[in-house]
Amino acid sequence: MKKRKLFSLTFLLASLLFLSGCGDDEDGSQVATTAQGWHFQGRDCLACHNVDLNPDKHLLYGGTLYKSQNITDQNDLNNICGGELVVNFLDTANGVLAYSSKDYVDPNSKGYDAKGNIFILQRELRLLSAGRYTVQITDKNGTQLAVGGNHDFTSADYDINKGADFANRLACNRCHSNSGPQVPLYVEINSNLCE
């Protein structure tokens, strides 16, 4: 009986360790319809989704939107701006919309369960064209929540060794974090727009 309990406990701990890796929760089996929850907010999304996971789970870009720039715990779901978030890439030269995450949604992705995380799957959009873009985050109705400065994209594949390089802003949380060169992405207009 003791051996059985010990085996069960060992199995449970091993399972928890296995599941706590990169958080691969995207099996493509159903459309995400549940409430938004926790999925490694504030971490470098592409460190897992372009390095550790299979190519069909790679992201073109990814990050986390917070309610305020003055957060102390980037893992606290109370600090995270939830809802149906849209990321737009505006051509800096003329302000014209070049890309929008609403155009690259995959109904089979469970990634939308993660509260506050923004992303585009690489299988939906291979690469951004090289150029300078202003990054804008809106809600599903088009209300602007945040807007970033000018970001230069090189149209190169993600390199984990250059994730914080200012010419490669695909991994938002590498620069926009409490310990990074930029404050975390946050709602600049009205945090009450967050769900």
Side-chain angles (χ1 to χ4, degrees), residues 142-184:
T143 303
Q144 180 175 293
L145 301 175
V147 63
N150 298 332
H151 292 68
D152 293 311
F153 287 86
T154 62
S155 190
D157 285 319
Y158 179 73
D159 180 351
I160 192 171
N161 296 314
K162 296 180 181 176
D165 185 336
F166 287 103
N168 178 8
R169 299 276 189 144
L170 303 181
C172 308
N173 296 337
R174 281 293 293 266
C175 289
H176 292 277
S177 72
N178 284 339
S179 60
Q182 303 291 325
V183 297

Side-chain angles (χ1 to χ4, degrees), residues 100-121:
S100 177
S101 64
K102 68 180 179 181
D103 298 327
Y104 301 99
V105 171
D106 185 337
N108 293 319
S109 173
K110 291 177 67 179
Y112 306 103
D113 283 342
K115 184 176 182 182
N117 283 348
I118 53 175
F119 64 93
I120 287 181
L121 286 159

Side-chain angles (χ1 to χ4, degrees), residues 26-183:
E26 192 176 333
D27 64 10
S29 63
Q30 64 183 10
V31 175
T33 57
T34 59
Q36 291 183 335
W38 186 80
H39 182 80
F40 300 99
Q41 284 86 348
R43 295 190 190 175
D44 179 353
C45 307
L46 279 67
C48 284
H49 283 279
N50 274 44
V51 177
D52 290 344
L53 301 179
N54 292 331
D56 68 328
K57 295 175 183 166
H58 285 184
L59 299 179
L60 179 63
Y61 75 87
T64 307
L65 181 67
Y66 294 91
K67 293 179 182 177
S68 165
Q69 68 176 332
N70 302 315
I71 60 170
T72 55
D73 183 359
Q74 290 186 249
N75 290 318
D76 184 352
L77 288 179
N78 293 319
N79 294 326
I80 295 165
C81 185
E84 293 181 44
L85 304 175
V86 175
V87 180
N88 298 315
F89 289 84
L90 309 174
D91 186 307
T92 299
N94 56 28
V96 173
L97 180 66
Y99 302 96
S100 177
S101 64
K102 68 180 179 181
D103 298 327
Y104 301 99
V105 171
D106 185 337
N108 293 319
S109 173
K110 291 177 67 179
Y112 306 103
D113 283 342
K115 184 176 182 182
N117 283 348
I118 53 175
F119 64 93
I120 287 181
L121 286 159
Q122 188 169 304
R123 67 178 179 255
E124 293 295 311
L125 176 62
R126 176 73 183 97
L127 290 172
L128 293 173
S129 297
R132 178 169 277 200
Y133 300 98
T134 300
V135 180
Q136 175 193 57
I137 303 174
T138 71
D139 65 13
K140 64 182 176 184
N141 300 316
T143 303
Q144 180 175 293
L145 301 175
V147 63
N150 298 332
H151 292 68
D152 293 311
F153 287 86
T154 62
S155 190
D157 285 319
Y158 179 73
D159 180 351
I160 192 171
N161 296 314
K162 296 180 181 176
D165 185 336
F166 287 103
N168 178 8
R169 299 276 189 144
L170 303 181
C172 308
N173 296 337
R174 281 293 293 266
C175 289
H176 292 277
S177 72
N178 284 339
S179 60
Q182 303 291 325
V183 297

